[in-house]
Amino acid sequence: MVVGSDNFSKVKGMIFPRDILIGHDTLSRIAQMCSDFNFRNVGMIITGCQTYRSAGKFVEECMIDSGFEISVHHTGNASMMNVEKAVDEAKERKSNFLLAVGGGNKIDVAKLAAKELKIPFVSIPTSAAHDGIASGMASIKSSTISESVEAATPIGIIADTNVISKAPYRFLASGCADVISNKSALADWKFAKSFKNVPFSTSAFALSELSANTIIENSKNIKPGVEESTWIALKSIIISGISMSVAGSSRPTSGSEHIFSHALDVMHPGTATHGEQCGVGCIMMTYLQGGDWISIRNALKNIGAPVNAQQLNLSTDDILDAFIETPKIRRDRITILGERGIDRKTARMVAETTMVI
């Protein structure tokens, strides 16, 4: 699909999901979606052990009952090694399409494998921990860093609110926090446009802002075990992901707060979720940007997402160390922190003022 960008002197390609199904028991419509896409007979499910039990097995049975030849590949974290394993098995099985059943890691492995194989994939989330469900960006982890890279955009999305609402509520709260953190990412993007005239899309900006504001405005209605809460969150999470397709980069959803999260991933891997870290980072970065950090903190608190170091299972020094290291993690992205970042005294002042420490 080729459309005009916000700069009418240029032409820019944008790839979007062709079909998005959100609602109760939509999982049963996977075979029909694949038929509508004219997928050839042989496909592969990329999933994990737990997500196979919660949804993958059902997807496999639906596809087999409809005449598709389906294999199942179990994977782990989104690392290049796991992507290569998925690619090798898909080639061996002569798979013509992929079905990603799981959380962010499984979907990221599938979208990178699909890009390498040049075949389509359908995103079937079993949780909503971050906004990668609909985007063409993937987060790849190594022993030293987590980084965003270009990948395939899902041709279709099936988000079953019945399945996702049964996942631990922490994942949904994390996904909401990830979308709320768009607020500081957008402020960084505007700053970068003014400072160095980086590419900017008003359409992508508006979509990202809409998704963040929707979560903030509905924060008191997002509660554990309520399927309607999952519906509210999923719509915003998917729109947030689509904003990246419009922009052609992760800029609408990733700024200093995401780089802060990546710094924590390097220094304290596995302590908190990506969205949880981004939410806390957003509070502090919004303060530095002169924005309304209090409304962001209140929304996160309403949802039940972490708002301080203790709730992230981190110490004061952990927060300050990551804050100071943030500019070194990704030097190519202009943010409010600048190239040199801030000193420890300023970091402490910001973290204390915003009640993060």
Side-chain angles (χ1 to χ4, degrees), residues 10 23 41 66 80 89 162 201 204 248:
K10 297 180 181 178
N41 195 44
S66 296
M80 285 312 300
E89 183 164 347
N162 184 40
S201 165

Side-chain angles (χ1 to χ4, degrees), residues 51-163:
T51 51
Y52 176 74
R53 288 192 296 270
S54 64
K57 189 174 190 301
F58 181 80
V59 169
E60 180 187 18
E61 291 170 351
C62 285
M63 295 296 288
I64 290 171
D65 289 347
S66 296
F68 287 92
E69 184 180 327
I70 293 292
S71 60
V72 178
H73 175 78
H74 292 274
T75 191
N77 287 337
S79 66
M80 285 312 300
M81 181 177 72
N82 284 333
V83 172
E84 288 164 8
K85 287 179 180 178
V87 168
D88 288 344
E89 183 164 347
K91 285 180 178 177
E92 183 181 340
R93 302 281 187 173
K94 296 181 170 51
S95 302
N96 301 306
F97 63 91
L98 302 176
L99 304 178
V101 183
N105 280 308
K106 311 318 181 265
I107 292 172
D108 282 349
V109 169
K111 65 175 66 170
L112 281 162
K115 181 185 180 185
E116 175 69 20
L117 294 161
K118 296 181 173 58
I119 60 176
F121 89 100
V122 175
S123 175
I124 309 170
T126 56
S127 65
H130 63 68
D131 59 8
I133 291 169
S135 79
M137 303 297 294
S139 181
I140 281 292
K141 298 172 180 65
S142 69
S143 58
T144 57
I145 195 170
S146 175
E147 60 179 331
S148 295
V149 296
E150 288 188 15
T153 299
I155 190 172
I157 301 168
I158 289 187
D160 193 318
T161 53
N162 184 40
V163 171

Side-chain angles (χ1 to χ4, degrees), residues 131-132 135-137 239-253:
D131 59 8
S135 79
M137 303 297 294
I239 290 169
S240 179
I242 289 172
S243 74
M244 289 185 259
S245 295
V246 176
S249 78
S250 61
R251 261 297 188 181
T253 66

Side-chain angles (χ1 to χ4, degrees), residues 268-319:
H268 308 282
T271 305
T273 70
H274 168 78
E276 290 171 340
Q277 293 172 170
C278 289
V280 171
C282 180
I283 296 171
M284 296 188 291
M285 304 308 166
T286 301
Y287 174 86
L288 279 174
Q289 293 159 343
D292 184 6
W293 63 271
I294 295 175
S295 69
I296 289 168
R297 186 180 189 276
N298 287 342
L300 291 168
K301 197 171 180 181
N302 288 341
I303 290 164
V307 295
N308 57 43
Q310 184 180 8
Q311 292 171 347
L312 289 176
N313 296 312
L314 296 168
S315 69
T316 292
D317 284 338
D318 294 338
I319 294 291

Side-chain angles (χ1 to χ4, degrees), residues 171-357:
F171 294 140
L172 188 69
S174 174
C176 290
D178 194 22
V179 174
I180 287 172
S181 78
N182 290 4
K183 299 293 279 188
S184 52
L186 292 170
D188 277 334
W189 199 13
K190 286 178 74 174
F191 170 75
K193 178 180 182 290
S194 300
F195 186 62
K196 285 242 175 138
N197 198 32
V198 302
F200 187 84
S201 165
T202 53
S203 302
F205 188 99
L207 286 171
S208 176
E209 187 174 47
L210 170 66
S211 62
N213 286 342
T214 300
I215 295 289
I216 290 170
E217 290 163 8
N218 287 279
S219 61
K220 290 184 178 178
N221 299 320
I222 298 174
K223 302 178 186 301
V226 179
E227 197 168 340
E228 187 177 353
S229 297
T230 305
W231 166 256
I232 293 168
L234 276 170
K235 285 196 297 181
S236 297
I237 288 168
I238 289 171
I239 290 169
S240 179
I242 289 172
S243 74
M244 289 185 259
S245 295
V246 176
S249 78
S250 61
R251 261 297 188 181
T253 66
S254 176
S256 50
E257 75 299 320
H258 269 62
I259 309 173
F260 169 77
S261 176
H262 291 329
L264 286 175
D265 287 339
V266 172
M267 300 167 126
H268 308 282
T271 305
T273 70
H274 168 78
E276 290 171 340
Q277 293 172 170
C278 289
V280 171
C282 180
I283 296 171
M284 296 188 291
M285 304 308 166
T286 301
Y287 174 86
L288 279 174
Q289 293 159 343
D292 184 6
W293 63 271
I294 295 175
S295 69
I296 289 168
R297 186 180 189 276
N298 287 342
L300 291 168
K301 197 171 180 181
N302 288 341
I303 290 164
V307 295
N308 57 43
Q310 184 180 8
Q311 292 171 347
L312 289 176
N313 296 312
L314 296 168
S315 69
T316 292
D317 284 338
D318 294 338
I319 294 291
L320 299 182
D321 291 344
F323 208 158
I324 292 164
E325 287 295 310
T326 292
K328 301 175 186 176
I329 297 293
R330 184 168 184 179
R331 297 182 182 275
D332 65 327
R333 179 147 291 185
I334 300 166
T335 72
I336 192 65
L337 296 175
E339 293 181 359
R340 296 185 178 180
I342 59 178
D343 58 34
R344 198 173 193 85
K345 182 179 178 182
T346 304
R348 180 178 287 275
M349 181 275 293
V350 172
E352 287 180 345
T353 303
T354 56
M355 296 175 277
V356 169
I357 61 173

